[in-house]
Amino acid sequence: MDAHGLASGLHRAVADPVLPGDVTARARDLGPFESPLIWLAFASAAVAVLAAVIALWHRRRTRRWGFTAFGVLLLLAGVTALNSYVGYVRTSDDLARLLQKGPGVVNLAGRLLDDGKEAPVSRPGAGSAAAGQRIDVVNLPDPAHGVPSGSNYVILPPGYNADAARRYPVVYLIHGYPFGGPRDWLTSGDAPGTLLALQQANVIAPMIVVSVDLTAGVPSTDWECLDVPGGPQLETYLARTVVPAIDQRYRTVADRSHRALGGMSGGGFGALNIGLHHVDEFGTLLIALPYDDLNDSVGVLDGNRAAIAANTPRRYLPTMDFPAPVSVMLAVGTGAPTDVTTARRIAEALRARGQEAVVHAERGFNHTWHTARATLPYLLAFADQGFRASPAAS
């Protein structure tokens, strides 16, 4: 039997998980800063100011200040409406993190708004804090691969400290590009809360989740998780630096069957591309808001044709050989038809190569953090199916 046939024969059936309604409702709920009431209030205030300016048109000073206020309120209405659509800023902590990316006064405002509860964080569940969920920051610089710093967030399950003999499967999650970062999965993606909800509902067994920093210290650049010719080697950094370091520092089940790689949008592309390049390391891939072609981001490879071909799954997947089987979930919102078409194309290409692929669609959602957050419970439950189906390697 050839490798392709062997990979097909080793599969165990996986499916789109069916989850409790309270878990899925929680993941779909809007945070306080995502409420449409915020932008509607700003828009209403802008209209009210404009009406006052018109009524007092004969007062030059009123017109000047009134138009300034109208412009500011209209801008705030637009920004908050966009956030309500995208779902990036959910809470005051999210807003502080976003402002701290800006210059001068904006950065200062972000620092003043920050409550100081930066990870590592203890998020107690039932019982003592020692038995609660813990979030560590593991800084892994790798100058040899062009990565000057890397703040990787490690979410440890409740009870991790209680049983020193127990080992856990690991899910690695990658942020989007550009201007994304590893904290996004903790804030916009609500990975800690989703994990607790799933575990408390007995949907998944305890697992470790790592939100990986693939910014190479320059979050404004759309790196697409690539080994960039003459630049940062981000694929190598993840596969050869981050994964071994996590296995060394934490009690993981250090085999491919108990290791999943996922991401959203640009991070989803990276998870697909890296996962297909490293089937020896990752047995499950979790892709939210998928795409399989570099498109406008191809410039980061500076015209290197070999690198472009090697990093375009749409080209190489249809003829790819799989020395080991992979199971893939692709999560999309039906409001983004391009994502739906792309997910189906990737799934069909995987199935044609004997691999398992499931497409999960959230009705009405788009290519936004709302979709990534709403589908994360399904992605983690899908990973759990694969972890449970495979005995730990000795």
Side-chain angles (χ1 to χ4, degrees):
M1 181 181 293
D2 62 17
H4 176 59
L6 178 62
S8 303
L10 290 176
H11 271 307
R12 299 179 183 232
V14 293
D16 191 350
V18 177
L19 303 180
D22 58 338
V23 172
T24 57
R26 181 191 177 285
R28 295 185 182 110
D29 280 348
L30 299 180
F33 276 49
E34 298 173 292
S35 172
L37 295 177
I38 297 176
W39 72 263
L40 286 171
F42 281 127
S44 299
V47 171
V49 167
L50 182 61
V53 169
I54 293 172
L56 300 172
W57 189 260
H58 59 285
R59 299 184 181 180
R60 182 180 300 176
R61 191 172 183 179
T62 299
R63 289 204 308 269
R64 184 170 65 248
W65 285 104
F67 277 123
T68 300
F70 172 74
V72 170
L73 288 168
L74 202 61
L75 177 63
L76 289 171
V79 169
T80 52
L82 178 63
N83 183 65
S84 180
Y85 173 78
V86 173
Y88 189 66
V89 176
R90 299 168 51 245
T91 64
S92 59
D93 180 63
D94 294 1
L95 180 60
R97 171 181 52 82
L98 180 62
L99 293 176
Q100 287 175 47
K101 295 181 179 181
V105 175
V106 175
N107 181 278
L108 177 61
R111 283 185 285 160
L112 291 173
L113 187 61
D114 196 332
D115 60 10
K117 295 180 180 178
E118 174 73 324
V121 177
S122 177
R123 296 175 181 265
S128 67
Q133 186 184 73
R134 192 179 94 212
I135 305 176
D136 293 347
V137 180
V138 178
N139 191 30
L140 296 171
D142 187 0
H145 291 110
V147 181
S149 64
S151 298
N152 303 279
Y153 288 74
V154 181
I155 309 173
L156 299 172
Y160 180 84
N161 292 333
D163 184 354
R166 182 167 184 173
R167 293 187 171 273
Y168 299 86
V170 186
V171 173
Y172 292 86
L173 295 176
I174 309 173
H175 53 80
Y177 290 98
F179 296 105
R183 281 202 68 198
D184 290 350
W185 274 112
L186 278 67
T187 53
S188 307
D190 192 31
T194 297
L195 277 166
L196 284 178
L198 288 167
Q199 289 168 12
Q200 289 168 358
N202 294 316
V203 173
I204 64 172
M207 62 177 65
I208 296 171
V209 170
V210 181
S211 185
V212 185
D213 185 351
L214 294 187
T215 66
V218 190
S220 59
T221 300
D222 194 355
W223 298 116
E224 297 292 332
C225 313
L226 297 168
D227 278 353
V228 179
Q233 307 295 291
L234 292 169
E235 175 179 329
T236 301
Y237 171 70
L238 170 59
R240 299 294 176 248
T241 300
V242 176
V243 170
I246 297 301
D247 285 341
Q248 182 179 23
R249 298 183 186 209
Y250 296 95
R251 298 194 312 275
T252 66
V253 183
D255 63 57
R256 67 176 303 277
S257 297
H258 296 86
R259 192 183 291 131
L261 178 62
M264 65 86 67
S265 192
F269 170 85
L272 177 66
N273 191 45
I274 295 173
L276 292 177
H277 289 171
H278 296 271
V279 295
D280 58 324
E281 279 193 78
F282 303 101
T284 303
L285 304 181
L286 313 169
I287 317 299
L289 321 182
Y291 55 91
D292 55 359
D293 196 303
L294 287 166
N295 298 316
D296 294 340
S297 303
V298 71
V300 76
L301 293 177
D302 197 26
N304 187 314
R305 292 187 179 183
I308 292 170
N311 291 285
T312 304
R314 188 171 183 176
R315 294 193 197 179
Y316 66 73
L317 178 54
T319 58
M320 178 177 167
D321 289 325
F322 285 82
V326 294
S327 296
V328 183
M329 171 170 270
L330 301 128
V332 297
T334 59
T338 300
D339 285 3
V340 175
T341 300
T342 301
R344 289 173 177 166
R345 179 176 65 242
I346 295 170
E348 289 170 3
L350 286 163
R351 293 172 189 142
R353 305 306 297 163
Q355 309 307 303
E356 291 185 325
V358 172
V359 176
H360 174 83
E362 285 288 312
R363 186 167 297 279
F365 283 75
N366 299 286
H367 192 98
T368 67
W369 268 108
H370 283 311
T371 308
R373 187 165 72 241
T375 58
L376 183 59
Y378 293 93
L379 295 168
L380 294 176
F382 182 84
D384 180 73
Q385 290 180 6
F387 297 155
R388 291 174 187 261
S390 303
S394 58

